[in-house]
Amino acid sequence: MAPGRAHTGGLLVVLEGIDGAGTTTQAQLLARALVRSDVAAHLTREPSDGPVGRLLREILAGHHAPTDATTLSLLFAADRADHIQREVEPALAAGCVVVSDRWYHSSLAYQGAGEERAWIAELNRRARRPELTIFLRVAPEVAAERRASARRGDELFDAMPLQRQIARGYEDIMQDLAGSESIEIVDGEQPVERVAEACLALALAAMERRR
């Protein structure tokens, strides 16, 4: 993926992983921990809470007729562009650490493979690169048990063969982008508190590097 535009101001920290990896929980915990450390933090997510993001959440929950992969890719890219302009950039300009539950890495892992992935990368070429991406590595079987315990299921990407494919996609993407982005891998199968401590330490280190 080609670099996005240069930006100044705050810091963008992204949490990534397969469904059940704990990205939502850890994003929330990280934002709270930053606030307790007297750091201005803004918590957000993708799909976003904007108009395109709300439509995507309805589609993923099965509330609309089946949507093909091309349409989904375009919708995710459109939501991300709106999300950046409407919410992320203003928070960064105000000097906040923006903590996002997912970013374009999810689009690449969930919707792309081979030439398709290259096309999705092009769709997201102008998206802001995070200062830090934390990938929570969790085995698909462990993630499935977590989703079952939380009574989550029957979403578009929940089938186990697909989750295994997505997990492999994430590993490929993180390796491919490691030379051009700041990516850290955390064992997401550790206790929640240990994962949260690791995420906070990485975020604070990223802040220190920017000084």
Side-chain angles (χ1 to χ4, degrees):
M1 181 179 294
R5 296 167 293 159
H7 293 263
T8 59
L11 198 80
L12 176 60
V13 178
V14 171
L15 278 292
E16 285 284 2
I18 63 174
D19 289 322
T23 61
T24 300
T25 296
Q26 293 301 330
Q28 293 170 347
L29 291 174
L30 177 56
R32 291 173 193 162
L34 288 169
V35 170
R36 287 196 300 270
S37 300
D38 293 325
V39 175
H42 178 85
L43 177 64
T44 190
R45 63 179 182 170
E46 290 197 344
S48 77
D49 293 318
V52 184
R54 291 195 296 271
L55 173 60
L56 274 167
R57 290 184 182 279
E58 291 177 359
I59 291 172
L60 295 175
H63 297 158
H64 293 274
T67 304
D68 66 22
T70 297
T71 302
L72 276 177
S73 296
L74 291 167
L75 285 171
F76 271 104
D79 178 48
R80 188 162 297 118
D82 175 63
H83 186 203
I84 291 169
Q85 184 275 329
R86 174 180 44 79
E87 182 179 353
V88 175
E89 291 287 11
L92 291 169
C96 292
V97 174
V98 175
V99 179
S100 183
D101 176 8
R102 302 191 180 280
W103 203 244
Y104 54 64
H105 312 81
S106 288
S107 290
L108 294 168
Y110 277 77
Q111 300 159 274
E115 293 182 2
E116 189 74 10
R117 186 173 293 164
W119 178 68
I120 292 170
E122 180 61 23
L123 286 180
N124 289 275
R125 184 170 59 86
R126 295 187 178 183
R128 189 187 201 278
R129 287 194 176 197
E131 277 68 44
L132 172 65
T133 298
I134 302 173
F135 174 54
L136 303 180
R137 179 181 278 155
V138 172
E141 294 76 14
V142 173
E145 291 176 2
R146 291 179 177 179
R147 294 196 304 274
S149 296
R151 297 183 179 178
R152 286 180 49 205
D154 298 324
E155 288 202 352
L156 185 60
F157 295 105
D158 270 355
M160 181 57 69
L162 184 54
Q163 282 292 309
R164 292 194 180 102
Q165 178 182 324
I166 292 166
R168 290 192 297 270
Y170 262 123
E171 295 291 342
D172 291 342
I173 290 160
M174 295 304 161
Q175 183 175 352
D176 290 346
L177 295 178
S180 59
E181 296 187 18
S182 177
I183 293 174
E184 297 287 348
I185 297 175
V186 171
D187 179 2
E189 296 183 19
Q190 299 178 93
V192 171
E193 296 79 7
R194 292 285 300 277
V195 177
E197 290 170 0
C199 291
L200 177 60
L202 290 168
L204 292 175
M207 291 176 59
E208 187 63 30
R209 288 194 296 269
R210 288 289 297 274
R211 290 180 180 174

